[in-house]
Amino acid sequence: MPDKPTLYTFATKAGSTIRVRPLMPEDAPYLVDLFENMSAESRYHRFLQTLDYLSMERVWTEAEQIAHGAAVNTYGLLAFCDLTERPDVPVGAARYVRLDSGEAEIAVSVRDDMQRLGIGTDLIRLLVDVAEAEGIQRLVGVVQNDNTAVWTMLRRLGRPIARTPDGNYTNIIIFLGADEVTPDAAFDYSPEPQLIW
């Protein structure tokens, strides 16, 4: 990760140092590396679809579009750690995509061998703080009901969250900067599954 500005540094529950910086246009290889180090179950939880037979060409195309900012109004973070096999390994990513002036979709990924160490929670907290500073009022997403890791992260945020169950999934809204939370009764957020790191 040479010559890249580190925004934030924190220690995992195991004592490893994690360095976080903004996602940059040249970061497609890091996104692909992260994807390759996620199990089929992790990919399914993250992308809400089975991706066992996804071609590497498609993975690279998606990663390059995301890294180059093909979608407007996005912001992403990458987390790195020195592992035994090599230094500066991408271990997590978090990203939001604006849907309108006050709302954005949020997502987080952590490679399998670095899960349950607090990386996802810290990435989400950082991203929420950035979103709030940028004037975003609501972060939305879809979570599988059995994805205990994400539900644990959401509980640790300490933010008001509205949930709308929809079969095996739950649509969520994280409220930012609101003194009084008044969730929409008819909230329905069901995007088409897509690769959004």
Side-chain angles (χ1 to χ4, degrees):
M1 205 173 58
D3 303 322
K4 308 292 184 188
T6 297
L7 278 184
Y8 184 66
T9 302
F10 62 89
T12 68
K13 293 176 183 177
S16 300
T17 299
I18 304 296
R19 299 175 299 280
V20 181
R21 65 162 174 81
L23 182 66
M24 297 183 174
E26 62 270 24
D27 286 338
Y30 293 130
L31 295 177
V32 172
D33 186 304
L34 183 58
F35 183 82
E36 289 181 324
N37 284 281
M38 294 170 67
S39 66
E41 181 181 4
S42 292
R43 291 175 183 177
Y44 185 71
H45 276 153
R46 170 59 194 86
F47 301 110
L48 307 179
Q49 59 184 313
T50 303
L51 299 174
D52 294 341
Y53 305 105
L54 193 67
S55 72
M56 284 310 297
E57 181 181 353
R58 167 94 187 276
V59 172
W60 271 99
T61 298
E62 293 280 347
E64 287 169 353
Q65 287 177 346
I66 290 165
H68 283 66
V72 296
N73 295 322
T74 69
Y75 184 81
L77 295 170
L78 275 177
F80 294 85
C81 183
D82 295 334
L83 300 182
T84 305
E85 65 268 23
R86 69 185 205 275
D88 295 325
V89 175
V91 295
R95 184 170 177 259
Y96 69 70
V97 179
R98 281 186 186 265
L99 303 176
D100 61 35
S101 58
E103 191 168 272
E105 178 186 3
I106 192 170
V108 63
S109 300
V110 177
R111 61 182 272 158
D112 275 34
D113 59 347
M114 297 297 286
Q115 291 181 8
R116 294 175 179 80
L117 296 176
I119 296 169
T121 300
D122 274 345
L123 282 175
I124 287 278
R125 281 185 182 140
L126 279 171
L127 199 63
V128 165
D129 290 345
V130 170
E132 189 169 41
E134 290 296 314
I136 294 172
Q137 298 167 344
R138 306 191 319 173
L139 293 170
V140 300
V142 179
V143 181
Q144 288 179 309
N145 295 335
D146 65 350
N147 193 343
T148 56
V150 169
W151 289 118
T152 299
M153 282 190 281
L154 292 171
R155 277 195 302 274
R156 290 176 178 162
L157 273 181
R159 302 279 186 156
I161 297 175
R163 294 190 263 184
T164 304
D166 184 11
N168 294 326
Y169 304 91
T170 297
N171 301 304
I172 63 161
I173 310 173
I174 304 168
F175 294 90
L176 309 182
D179 295 329
E180 186 175 338
V181 177
T182 54
D184 299 329
F187 174 69
D188 180 23
Y189 177 70
S190 303
E192 289 298 316
Q194 52 186 317
L195 295 183
I196 303 181
W197 272 273

